[in-house]
Amino acid sequence: MLFRENPSLHSRINANFAGMKRIILFSILLLQTISICAQERFYIQTDKSFYAPGDTVWFRAHLMDAATNTPVSRSRFVYIELHDQQADTLIVRMMIRGDEDGVFANALLLPKEILGGVYTLVGYTQWMRNFGSDSFCYQPLTVVGGQRARGHRIPEEVLTKLSADVIISGKAATNKALMTFDIDVRDKDGYPLRGIYAISVTDYDVVKPDSLFGDIRQSLLRQQLSYKPDTLSSVIFPYQEEQFITGRIKGTLRSKIKNPHLHVVNTLTGQRHEFELGDSTRFAMAVDNPEGCTYMLEATDHRGGKSFIKLIVDSLTFPRVKLPQYALSSIATDTTIIKRMSQSHSSYDGILLDEVIKIGSHRPIKSPISHRLGAPSFMLTEGHPKLKATRNVETLLRTMGVKHGVTDNGTPYLFALIHIIDEHGKHQQVSIDQLSSSDIKQIDMYRGFKSLKEPDIIVIQLKPDAKNRGKGGPNMVAVRQLGYSIPIKFYSPQYIDDCTKDIPDFRTTLYWNPKVKTDSTGKAKVQFYASDVSKRYLVTIEGISDNGFLVHQQQVIE
């Protein structure tokens, strides 16, 4: 864990050019200006064109240099947001950390109670905020049961000239048989293109190509046409290479604290650190902050005293976006498609485990207000897969369908009355921002009446070792910031024996891989198993080659 003052971006440029020729001086300054002011372009690729409520959106964020069209990873973190198009409401915000190959990929869980219609995925980096929210990536996401977004498509003959040639070969199969597809990516002159691409395979009879909106070629081409070089006058948001907790330590009696100390505890790993600030009262601490991690910070003087000291931690800020207004189509979705998509994510909600023998019973925990509200609308108990999959409590409540919204300044909130109790039913003065899902023993949700616009009521019972979270004086702060989401791997069943073949399989996304690498010959191979009912498959490959060629191909395999 690093601890240092946050350096100014301009302080990194420190060189002595005395005695050098003017032409060399000009060249070096020009190269540094391009490096500092280079803009980024963004595209969000998803596994299919529309989704059902409760479905999983598998996605990859493609980040490229606006001037060279090549993939870049100067920013180590990207942000993905899902907004309700009609209500202008933020549903979820995710931070994605790039892996060792600079690939940004993860999954987004749609609430089961989400309504059909058009939503908007927004993608950006901290560096892109310097150029305004108009430079962000905005892409529609359609949930079946409502209207779809209609965009102005660039003619295919124009796009074909700008993209690489892709050949996808293979034979379709059904009844859980193994399938193999070969990928060959080349430029217009036939030279192989090495790169890391994302590939999805969906059931073509359910998921058709999006004929009303664009793809990676159209999205990045429009951004390229709107590219304005040298528009950056000052750097407010540098490239985000690390996560920081920043703040300051002050005296409550208007006196400066001499040589203050900062004590830090990572509650997720148990690591403890102590730092001396010296003459400075401000601090910037680089942290590894996954989703759901809480840091306990305590400020003291150089003797360890805690009196008359106040610790102030800076809050993270997020941009206010202006959602695009789409032209909507009135094309209705076939009810059979909605049924198939609902079957697809209900048939693989869990993983088949070996048979177990029940040796005891579990007594449901009753909350102190349950006698007034009756049975909860929804309940999660310790050991539930949702508690294990999501560390952030607010994100967990959103996936449970708790009502939520966003304030005028862009801060999300839950439209719910939240009661946090200990194992004895006593209320605890703790915020959900100070909790992790691992602290929770049980959650009871009581649904408010939608017609009366009443908030939901949430009762969270903590485990015995978590009830003292967040307590302390003004010199102690529990910090729970937006952390990067833990990567979720796409589950592709392996039908290698007769036992697994008995499981019903109605998947609409049969294969998703955000990191398919082509070799020096431009070739790659993917393998997966068919479902019970799929007979025709839509294969989609998108990405950017290492030397800047746009790659997009959709092909039906029958």
Side-chain angles (χ1 to χ4, degrees):
M1 180 182 294
L2 301 177
F3 185 84
R4 60 177 181 272
E5 295 292 325
N6 192 7
S8 169
L9 178 67
H10 298 288
S11 66
R12 303 176 188 175
I13 306 174
N14 182 19
N16 181 10
F17 298 109
M20 301 181 69
K21 295 183 179 180
R22 290 186 178 181
I23 185 65
I24 299 178
L25 172 61
F26 176 79
S27 300
I28 293 177
L29 292 176
L30 179 62
L31 288 174
Q32 289 183 343
T33 302
I34 294 175
S35 175
I36 293 175
C37 300
Q39 297 186 34
E40 296 171 326
R41 282 193 277 157
F42 205 111
Y43 174 72
I44 306 172
Q45 177 185 352
T46 57
D47 61 311
K48 51 194 174 187
S49 54
F50 53 88
Y51 297 86
D55 212 342
T56 300
V57 181
W58 298 95
F59 67 86
R60 174 180 167 182
H62 296 275
L63 192 63
M64 62 184 296
D65 188 281
T68 63
N69 292 338
T70 55
V72 293
S73 55
R74 288 186 291 260
S75 295
R76 194 185 177 199
F77 300 89
V78 302
Y79 295 81
I80 302 292
E81 299 177 355
L82 178 65
H83 291 257
D84 187 332
Q85 186 67 16
Q86 295 182 342
D88 193 15
T89 301
L90 175 67
I91 298 176
V92 66
R93 174 184 288 125
M94 300 176 65
M95 176 193 293
I96 310 299
R97 184 175 70 170
D99 64 9
E100 66 279 1
D101 294 314
V103 173
F104 304 92
N106 213 315
L108 186 154
L109 306 179
L110 296 177
K112 291 186 177 181
E113 297 184 356
I114 194 171
L115 300 177
V118 179
Y119 298 81
T120 299
L121 284 172
V122 181
Y124 60 91
T125 65
Q126 289 293 331
W127 177 256
M128 293 173 70
R129 294 179 65 181
N130 293 300
F131 303 90
S133 61
D134 291 340
S135 65
F136 295 176
C137 174
Y138 299 90
Q139 291 177 215
L141 183 140
T142 303
V143 177
V144 294
Q147 293 180 310
R148 297 176 59 189
R150 184 191 302 273
H152 175 69
R153 292 184 63 90
I154 300 173
E156 186 65 28
E157 55 269 19
V158 176
L159 298 175
T160 303
K161 298 178 181 179
L162 301 175
S163 58
D165 293 332
V166 182
I167 299 176
I168 304 172
S169 57
K171 292 183 179 181
T174 188
N175 296 327
K176 299 185 174 75
L178 180 65
M179 289 190 292
T180 301
F181 290 163
D182 293 310
I183 313 295
D184 190 353
V185 184
R186 298 179 179 274
D187 63 15
K188 295 301 181 183
D189 296 323
Y191 291 100
L193 294 178
R194 176 177 294 204
I196 305 176
Y197 311 105
I199 294 181
S200 67
V201 181
T202 55
D203 187 335
Y204 180 69
D205 293 319
V206 179
V207 182
K208 299 289 194 257
D210 190 352
S211 59
L212 300 181
F213 218 81
D215 50 51
I216 187 172
R217 301 168 300 174
Q218 301 195 65
S219 176
L220 295 181
L221 180 58
R222 287 193 177 98
Q223 294 180 48
Q224 184 178 16
L225 295 176
S226 62
Y227 171 64
K228 298 178 180 179
D230 302 328
T231 57
L232 184 61
S233 57
S234 62
V235 174
I236 301 176
F237 305 98
Y239 292 113
Q240 187 179 7
E241 300 175 353
E242 296 176 295
Q243 297 167 281
F244 283 94
I245 296 177
T246 62
R248 63 192 179 101
I249 300 173
K250 60 177 293 187
T252 57
L253 298 179
R254 297 184 180 181
S255 59
K256 183 178 179 180
I257 305 298
K258 296 181 179 179
N259 191 20
H261 287 217
L262 183 67
H263 305 262
V264 182
V265 178
N266 183 330
T267 60
L268 194 63
T269 63
Q271 292 180 324
R272 299 172 179 268
H273 301 272
E274 181 180 356
F275 305 102
E276 293 185 28
L277 272 65
D279 294 334
S280 176
T281 59
R282 292 201 60 87
F283 62 88
M285 179 174 59
V287 295
D288 179 41
N289 185 27
E291 182 184 38
C293 181
T294 299
Y295 286 88
M296 299 299 299
L297 275 61
E298 183 181 27
T300 65
D301 58 26
H302 64 283
R303 298 187 181 91
K306 304 177 183 179
S307 303
F308 309 112
I309 298 177
K310 185 175 183 179
L311 175 61
I312 302 174
V313 176
D314 300 329
S315 300
L316 296 180
T317 63
F318 299 97
R320 182 71 172 173
V321 300
K322 185 178 181 181
L323 300 179
Q325 298 299 316
Y326 304 114
L328 301 177
S329 70
S330 57
I331 300 176
T333 305
D334 192 343
T335 55
T336 58
I337 294 179
I338 299 178
K339 182 178 180 181
R340 275 290 313 280
M341 297 190 72
S342 299
Q343 287 177 326
S344 69
H345 61 79
S346 62
S347 62
Y348 270 91
D349 260 351
I351 299 175
L352 186 66
L353 301 177
D354 295 336
E355 183 179 358
V356 297
I357 300 175
K358 182 178 179 181
I359 59 175
S361 60
H362 172 70
R363 177 180 295 178
I365 303 167
K366 292 185 178 180
S367 68
I369 62 173
S370 60
H371 66 280
R372 301 197 302 267
L373 299 175
S377 306
F378 190 79
M379 181 173 65
L380 289 182
T381 57
E382 185 178 0
H384 194 282
K386 280 185 177 290
L387 286 173
K388 296 180 179 180
T390 308
R391 293 181 179 177
N392 184 275
V393 177
E394 183 173 344
T395 302
L396 174 65
L397 295 178
R398 289 172 183 267
T399 60
M400 290 174 57
V402 176
K403 299 174 186 176
H404 51 272
V406 64
T407 62
D408 292 337
N409 62 359
T411 303
Y413 67 91
L414 295 173
F415 187 54
L417 300 177
I418 300 176
H419 301 270
I420 301 177
I421 60 176
D422 63 11
E423 72 274 19
H424 303 295
K426 295 182 179 180
H427 287 272
Q428 301 295 302
Q429 299 297 322
V430 183
S431 169
I432 62 172
D433 293 336
Q434 300 170 329
L435 297 176
S436 171
S437 60
S438 60
D439 301 323
I440 297 175
K441 188 174 185 64
Q442 180 172 310
I443 300 178
D444 294 334
M445 181 176 76
Y446 301 87
R447 175 65 68 197
F449 295 103
K450 294 184 179 180
S451 59
L452 300 178
K453 297 183 179 180
E454 292 184 355
D456 297 331
I457 297 178
I458 308 298
V459 179
I460 300 177
Q461 185 181 47
L462 302 180
K463 296 178 181 178
D465 57 350
K467 62 183 180 181
N468 292 321
R469 280 281 178 89
K471 293 184 178 180
N475 70 311
M476 181 180 294
V477 176
V479 181
R480 171 70 65 84
Q481 295 181 342
L482 176 68
Y484 62 85
S485 299
I486 304 300
I488 302 176
K489 186 177 180 180
F490 180 81
Y491 174 66
S492 184
Q494 305 294 309
Y495 295 121
I496 56 179
D497 53 51
D498 294 334
C499 293
T500 55
K501 289 186 178 181
D502 293 335
I503 308 173
D505 188 348
F506 303 103
R507 290 171 296 146
T508 54
T509 298
L510 293 98
Y511 183 79
W512 165 257
N513 190 343
K515 286 185 61 174
V516 175
K517 297 182 180 181
T518 54
D519 56 22
S520 58
T521 64
K523 296 181 180 181
K525 178 182 294 187
V526 298
Q527 287 186 325
F528 60 94
Y529 286 86
S531 67
D532 286 327
V533 294
S534 302
K535 297 179 180 179
R536 299 189 296 172
Y537 303 90
L538 176 64
V539 184
T540 303
I541 176 172
E542 285 191 315
I544 309 163
S545 69
D546 291 345
N547 56 354
F549 274 87
L550 295 179
V551 175
H552 169 83
Q553 177 69 16
Q554 284 190 317
Q555 185 173 326
V556 178
I557 304 293
E558 302 186 74

